[in-house]
């Protein structure tokens, strides 16, 4: 990624990361050439999987909050507070 930014020369990157400049150049060319494939391949499945995980987490949280609310509603003093009384 540092090679893509262009902020440093290949020689500077080579010294910084301890990797040959030729190798950095090859990696950069490969990334530029195939970057589109990285985002196309499996993207829909990954997005669907992430969305389903988020939905599952939210359902789990809703269930937890419902249990907590029901427990607190069973406590007389707290029940009055939840209904707006004192």
């Amino acid at each position: 990624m540092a090679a893509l930014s262009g902020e440093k020369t290949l020689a500077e990157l080579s010294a910084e990361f301890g990797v040959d400049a030729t190798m950095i150049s090859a990696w950069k060319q490969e990334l530029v050439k195939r970057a589109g494939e990285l985002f196309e391949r499996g993207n829909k499945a990954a997005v669907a999987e992430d969305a389903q995980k988020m939905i599952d987490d939210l359902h789990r949280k809703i269930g937890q909050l419902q249990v907590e609310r029901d427990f607190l509603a069973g406590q007389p003093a707290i029940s009055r507070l939840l209904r707006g009384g004192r």
Side-chain angles (χ1 to χ4, degrees):
M1 296 307 293
L4 285 175
S5 73
E7 293 177 12
K8 296 182 181 178
T9 66
L10 288 177
E12 291 171 329
L13 293 173
S14 177
E16 182 179 342
F17 295 110
V19 178
D20 187 69
T22 308
M23 190 59 115
I24 294 173
S25 179
W27 289 339
K28 179 182 173 183
Q29 289 174 0
E30 186 72 16
L31 178 59
V32 169
K33 184 172 90 178
R34 299 183 62 197
E37 293 176 29
L38 294 173
F39 295 104
E40 289 174 9
R41 186 177 32 189
N43 190 28
K44 292 178 184 176
V47 169
E49 184 177 317
D50 288 346
Q52 187 60 48
K53 184 181 182 315
M54 183 181 288
I55 290 169
D56 292 344
D57 289 344
L58 291 172
H59 283 155
R60 201 171 6 268
K61 184 66 175 177
I62 289 169
Q64 176 187 351
L65 292 172
Q66 286 175 334
V67 168
E68 290 174 4
R69 183 203 59 207
D70 292 347
F71 172 78
L72 293 174
Q75 307 299 314
I78 295 174
S79 183
R80 282 192 303 274
L81 285 174
L82 291 175
R83 288 192 304 265
R86 288 193 169 216

